[in-house]
Amino acid sequence: MNQPSILLDGLPVPFVDGQTIMDAAMAADIFIPHLCHHPEFKPQGSCKLCTVKANGRYVSACTLPARDGMEVENNSPDLNDKRRTLLQMLFVEGNHFCPSCEKSGNCMLQALAYELEMLSPHFDQFYPNRPVDASHPEVLLDFNRCILCELCVRASRDLDGKSVFSLSGRGITKHLIVNAESGRLADTDFSWADTAAHVCPVGVILKKRSGFAVPIGKRRYDVEPIARQVERLAARRADEES
Amino acid sequence: MNAVPQSRKLRLATTSLAGCFGCHMAFLDIDERLLELLERVEFDRSPLTDIKTCGPCDIGLVEGGICNAENIHVLQEFRRNCKVLIAIGACAVNGGLPAQRNHLDLGRCLQEVYLTGPGIVNGQVPNDPELPLPLDKVHPIHEIVRIDYFIPGCPPSGDAIWKFLTDLLDGRTPRLGHPLLHFD
């Protein structure tokens, strides 16, 4: 029996039963832009960057199970325009001052903005004002950069078993909080060894006294743009197999 | 009478609003290509010339965000006179690092700097009408006037500025790919 496959931008991509479009693409090292998705965690479809067109309809690649013969459009001007708009919305919602951010060059939000050639934030800035939490001896939290992907929430709850983080509030006032009576990270059992400390795709959860250690030019996305890193992995695997 | 008409040089104006002049320095980082550029453009009002007000121009380059009343005046002068207005650098694009004052109270900022800060004797907040009043918040320039193009970066590299301007002068849609496009 043939393995089922989807047609991703015209390319047959095999999958196993139960895999989503994103799972299948990731296994084949095909890049679908995403922020809230991480293979170790249950997908939730909140960032909407992985929006693809499956059999003519806009869907989230991270949550829709692949079906045999499904025709999926991913890397198209129409979808990339929509993704750029989503990025612009995320950029104006927070204070993304890359020039002074320790995560610059290693930030997925920034790397995707480069990938999709986002030149301006287009919309008016929100300039949120949420005080940083510097109470913890090892870790600093800058809530004004949070994109609400909930990766830290999921990691802390599902892998670390500590439930240090939550989202609170509704609509535009929704924000990341620390689950402690005082609301301070120092009053939780959070540690830099936790999985949750390392999953933030942007510059919210930062290790103290270790910023700006990597020279400009050698940071993760200086070396290669985000999509090409994925594609190169595929090329290397194909080389090893042959 | 039958001389071949020479193609007119384009006029280029530049200014720094709530900027640090770093974008102008990055512009000068095109080095000897500046001579090549001067074959094709003439400078109008700019920190590099002595022209005091902006006349009719083809291209205006604006660095810095908007932080006081005079910034708005200059920006509007540029918009009125420039066919194509370009925001250059992080400050012009999204307010930049100066916009980190947006969560502070302006009155308290001025008091701390001019009255209560360390080492101040008989301080006073400057109040001469010659001085432009600061705005309560810093804004990107596209929130004040329409902007045609954006060159991000803090600052954009000389190479990025060169690529952008030559694309524009040659009639191509300006594009910055990896590694010329960066926000930091």
Side-chain angles (χ1 to χ4, degrees):
Chain A
M1 202 183 85
N2 279 344
Q3 197 184 357
S5 67
I6 58 173
L7 217 55
L8 190 57
D9 285 334
L11 190 81
V13 173
F15 66 92
V16 293
D17 214 30
Q19 280 188 318
T20 60
I21 297 172
M22 179 68 85
D23 294 332
M26 276 188 151
D29 293 320
I30 291 169
F31 182 68
I32 299 178
H34 60 273
L35 282 168
C36 73
H37 183 69
H38 190 294
E40 281 182 57
F41 305 103
K42 193 166 169 269
Q44 66 169 14
S46 67
C47 76
K48 291 285 169 256
L49 274 192
C50 73
T51 299
V52 293
K53 237 173 168 177
N55 292 344
R57 298 183 60 174
Y58 293 110
V59 298
S60 296
C62 69
T63 53
L64 193 79
R67 272 183 293 119
D68 195 23
M70 188 184 253
E71 285 181 34
V72 181
E73 182 185 308
N74 168 42
N75 190 3
S76 70
D78 163 47
L79 287 163
N80 287 335
D81 277 351
K82 287 185 164 52
R83 290 165 179 159
R84 199 177 303 113
T85 304
L86 289 167
L87 286 171
Q88 288 169 323
M89 288 157 72
L90 287 172
F91 267 85
V92 298
E93 237 179 76
N95 293 336
H96 296 283
F97 300 126
C98 302
S100 67
C101 179
E102 293 173 29
K103 197 70 179 242
S104 191
N106 299 307
C107 168
M108 275 184 80
L109 179 69
Q110 187 192 58
L112 284 170
Y114 295 165
E115 184 66 35
L116 297 169
E117 293 187 49
M118 189 194 102
L119 296 179
S120 86
H122 182 78
F123 303 105
D124 287 3
Q125 296 282 339
F126 282 70
Y127 293 131
N129 175 18
R130 304 191 191 104
V132 297
D133 181 345
S135 62
H136 194 276
E138 290 178 292
V139 177
L140 173 82
L141 300 177
D142 185 339
F143 297 104
N144 295 315
R145 298 172 182 155
C146 180
I147 55 168
L148 312 182
C149 70
E150 284 193 276
L151 278 172
C152 60
V153 176
R154 285 178 275 169
S156 187
R157 182 189 61 213
D158 303 340
L159 285 187
D160 304 331
K162 292 184 177 178
S163 280
V164 170
F165 300 103
S166 286
L167 292 189
S168 177
R170 288 177 187 278
I172 191 63
T173 64
K174 193 175 199 178
H175 61 289
L176 184 68
I177 56 160
V178 171
N179 283 326
E181 191 115 355
S182 63
R184 284 159 29 111
L185 193 63
D187 299 325
T188 67
D189 52 355
F190 185 76
S191 128
W192 185 248
D194 292 355
T195 317
H198 305 274
V199 291
C200 182
V202 294
V204 179
I205 305 176
L206 298 166
K207 187 161 189 336
K208 285 184 174 177
R209 294 173 292 276
S210 67
F212 308 114
V214 182
I216 288 171
K218 302 218 163 135
R219 301 169 305 183
R220 176 155 190 199
Y221 300 112
D222 292 338
V223 182
E224 255 183 331
I226 188 166
R228 216 179 301 154
Q229 292 186 9
V230 174
E231 287 155 13
R232 213 163 57 106
L233 197 66
R236 203 162 63 220
R237 269 189 212 160
D239 277 354
E240 281 162 13
E241 277 166 25
S242 64
Chain B
M1 285 299 283
N2 52 8
V4 180
Q6 279 199 319
S7 66
R8 182 181 67 89
K9 275 192 185 180
L10 295 179
R11 281 192 83 78
L12 172 69
T14 77
T15 190
S16 177
L17 304 176
C20 71
F21 280 91
C23 291
H24 276 82
M25 295 308 292
F27 178 37
L28 297 181
D29 274 342
I30 65 174
D31 296 330
E32 70 275 16
R33 286 172 291 186
L34 191 58
L35 301 174
E36 206 179 311
L37 185 70
L38 284 171
E39 312 242 307
R40 307 179 68 180
V41 305
E42 250 172 345
F43 278 90
D44 196 273
R45 174 180 172 166
S46 162
L48 311 171
T49 69
D50 211 14
I51 301 172
K52 309 298 184 202
T53 53
C54 183
C57 281
D58 299 287
I59 302 171
L61 277 175
V62 181
E63 87 163 64
I66 295 292
C67 81
N68 65 31
E70 195 238 356
N71 292 158
I72 295 184
H73 182 81
V74 174
L75 181 61
Q76 287 175 337
E77 177 190 301
F78 268 65
R79 180 68 276 180
R80 270 197 309 276
N81 286 289
C82 301
K83 285 184 197 152
V84 172
L85 201 57
I86 304 175
I88 179 169
C91 299
V93 168
N94 71 358
L97 299 188
Q100 291 181 127
R101 82 153 155 91
N102 284 356
H103 65 274
L104 303 172
D105 178 76
L106 179 63
R108 289 189 57 189
C109 281
L110 292 171
Q111 278 177 17
E112 185 166 340
V113 172
Y114 291 108
L115 297 177
T116 61
I120 295 169
V121 182
N122 296 330
Q124 69 164 55
V125 177
N127 64 354
D128 193 293
E130 277 279 299
L131 300 171
L133 285 172
L135 306 178
D136 68 331
K137 293 223 181 334
V138 177
H139 297 271
I141 62 174
H142 75 87
E143 292 185 11
I144 312 293
V145 300
R146 183 176 56 78
I147 298 300
D148 301 294
Y149 294 102
F150 296 83
I151 311 179
C154 185
S157 65
D159 287 342
I161 295 169
W162 177 252
K163 169 78 164 62
F164 210 93
L165 285 180
T166 47
D167 276 356
L168 200 62
L169 293 174
D170 293 342
R172 292 186 297 266
T173 300
R175 282 191 71 176
L176 298 175
H178 184 86
L180 292 181
L181 174 57
H182 60 88
F183 298 163
D184 57 358

